[in-house]
Amino acid sequence: MKRRDFLHATSLTGIAVASGTALLSCENRETEAEASVANAEASFKITPIAIATWNVPDAVGKAWEILSDGGKALDAIEQGCRVEEANAEGQSVGIGGLPDRDGNVTLDACIMNSEGDYGAVVYLQNIKHPISVARKVMEETPHVLMAGKGAEQFAVSLGFEKENLLTEASRKAWEEWKVTSEYKPVINIENHDTIGMLAMDAAGNISGGCTTSGLAYKMAGRVGDSPIIGSGLFIDNEVGGATATGMGEEVLKTVGSFLIVELMRQGMSPQKACEEAIGRIVSKNKERLGDFQVAYIAMNKKGETGSYAIHPGFSVTRATEEEITNTNSKHYISDN
Ligand code: SD4
């Protein structure tokens, strides 16, 4: 039963009840109407859910805390992502992120709400929580995307604190890298805390976020897919959402998250849509598949989820009423 029909059935019940004894066999009709409303409610029972790329139980746990308390998906996303951004041991997001070739930690993030609004920051330095700055861009400016110094000044003007994001461990890793200075992204090396997260709240609204320090030892100025609408993240609250991780250049070239949402709009399951989006990348990179990883996760309005990666090693963290789990994703390499 469609939602429109459900509302229609609900108003019919109202009419039947209001007519009271004037209607012959009214009792039966009421019972029928009640049964049909109960069925409709069952088929529309919204169960909140949060999923994220990689093994991030603390972040997804935080998001779940908010969802299970009746909170909004957007708040769950922001608060969940902040957990990993603040984790100094995670070397691919927020504080502790591995720097670019020049030793600068530069952060990218975006957030999208169920109304289709979007905010993002790219090449942000010295601010630990780019996901929150992205939300401020969305909610408090006429813009959607802010970069570098301007984004930093905007954040500082709102009271965000400036701090050194290069931890001792990440500085050491960079010093070691400089010995050879060989730029060769290693599959799943950051295994992993770059976080793409999707959540549906009890009202059935979906939001998403994505936050990262990008690829380790990237060229100064490089920006990946994560903060770019349609590539690293896309939400359409009528359909669902998708988010990406891995080699951003390949996600950008195929506008992967938008593609997945559009495929779901046409009726594909989240799983099949993720597989199709990975398939597009695979078909264009047959000769160099061994060089990089890309993975997607997706969720539709029924709360069904899917994930797919090119290589093994990618996993998805999921929080539902029952539990928080981390499961290995299916991937192209063993399917072919
Ligand atoms: C990027 N997609 O900057 C990000 C990095 C990432 O797993 O997700 N790494 O290309």
Side-chain angles (χ1 to χ4, degrees):
M1 183 188 262
K2 293 204 175 85
R3 188 165 197 94
R4 203 178 337 133
D5 299 334
F6 165 58
L7 293 174
H8 183 60
T10 313
S11 64
L12 281 184
T13 319
I15 291 165
V17 170
S19 309
T21 52
L23 287 172
L24 267 178
S25 70
C26 178
E27 253 175 43
N28 284 349
R29 285 186 193 199
E30 268 185 47
T31 321
E32 266 172 40
E34 272 164 16
S36 93
V37 169
N39 283 342
E41 273 172 351
S43 65
F44 277 102
K45 189 166 179 290
I46 294 159
T47 45
I49 177 169
I51 57 172
T53 54
W54 307 105
N55 188 10
V56 287
D58 293 345
V60 175
K62 182 73 196 172
W64 178 252
E65 216 179 281
I66 291 162
L67 294 175
S68 60
D69 208 29
K72 287 196 168 144
L74 188 67
D75 295 323
I77 292 292
E78 182 188 2
Q79 294 306 320
C81 288
R82 283 174 65 98
V83 170
E84 287 306 321
E85 288 176 342
N87 172 10
E89 274 160 34
Q91 289 190 305
S92 60
V93 62
I95 190 162
L98 289 168
D100 66 14
R101 290 172 196 192
D102 299 345
N104 299 311
V105 179
T106 71
L107 306 179
D108 301 331
C110 73
I111 195 160
M112 204 164 173
N113 69 15
S114 52
E115 279 87 48
D117 299 317
Y118 155 84
V121 288
V122 304
Y123 201 76
L124 180 68
Q125 295 181 61
N126 307 313
I127 307 283
K128 188 160 67 183
H129 288 303
I131 194 76
S132 296
V133 185
R135 183 169 177 177
K136 293 288 185 194
V137 171
M138 177 173 80
E139 293 179 342
E140 294 186 20
T141 79
H143 309 304
V144 295
L145 179 59
M146 292 181 73
K149 273 278 164 251
E152 184 183 312
Q153 280 161 11
F154 169 65
V156 169
S157 76
L158 293 172
F160 286 83
E161 215 175 286
K162 275 177 81 165
E163 57 193 295
N164 174 23
L165 303 178
L166 186 64
T167 55
E168 199 39 37
S170 290
R171 196 191 56 74
K172 269 205 187 127
W174 170 60
E175 296 288 354
E176 277 162 28
W177 175 79
K178 277 200 296 184
V179 174
T180 56
S181 294
E182 193 194 1
Y183 184 65
K184 195 168 181 285
V186 179
I187 291 168
N188 301 328
I189 187 179
E190 296 122 332
N191 202 0
H192 216 293
D193 19 71
T194 287
I195 178 165
M197 187 185 279
L198 306 170
M200 179 158 69
D201 60 29
N205 290 321
I206 298 178
S207 295
C210 194
T211 179
T212 186
S213 53
L215 298 180
Y217 319 127
K218 59 198 175 185
M219 289 174 73
R222 181 263 186 194
V223 172
D225 62 308
S226 302
I228 305 300
I229 189 169
S231 290
L233 175 76
F234 195 69
I235 304 291
D236 184 326
N237 196 39
E238 290 187 4
V239 179
T243 185
T245 183
M247 178 67 81
E249 282 72 6
E250 299 307 323
V251 176
L252 281 163
K253 286 190 277 184
T254 48
V255 199
S257 293
F258 182 72
L259 172 64
I260 290 170
V261 172
E262 289 307 302
L263 291 170
M264 292 195 293
R265 189 192 305 281
Q266 289 160 28
M268 249 186 221
S269 68
Q271 182 60 36
K272 280 276 168 264
C274 289
E275 289 175 17
E276 175 65 29
I278 289 290
R280 298 270 173 107
I281 294 175
V282 166
S283 67
K284 290 186 167 64
N285 291 283
K286 282 260 153 62
E287 306 306 317
R288 50 182 290 265
L289 263 196
D291 293 350
F292 63 87
Q293 170 73 302
V294 172
Y296 291 107
I297 61 172
M299 175 193 292
N300 67 15
K301 282 296 271 187
K302 291 186 220 155
E304 295 166 341
T305 60
S307 71
Y308 206 58
I310 298 175
H311 295 279
F314 173 64
S315 67
V316 185
T317 309
R318 212 163 171 274
T320 60
E321 255 162 9
E322 285 88 44
E323 55 190 350
I324 296 180
T325 55
N326 179 255
T327 47
N328 288 330
S329 177
K330 289 180 71 187
H331 52 91
Y332 174 84
I333 293 299
S334 68
D335 285 349
N336 292 275

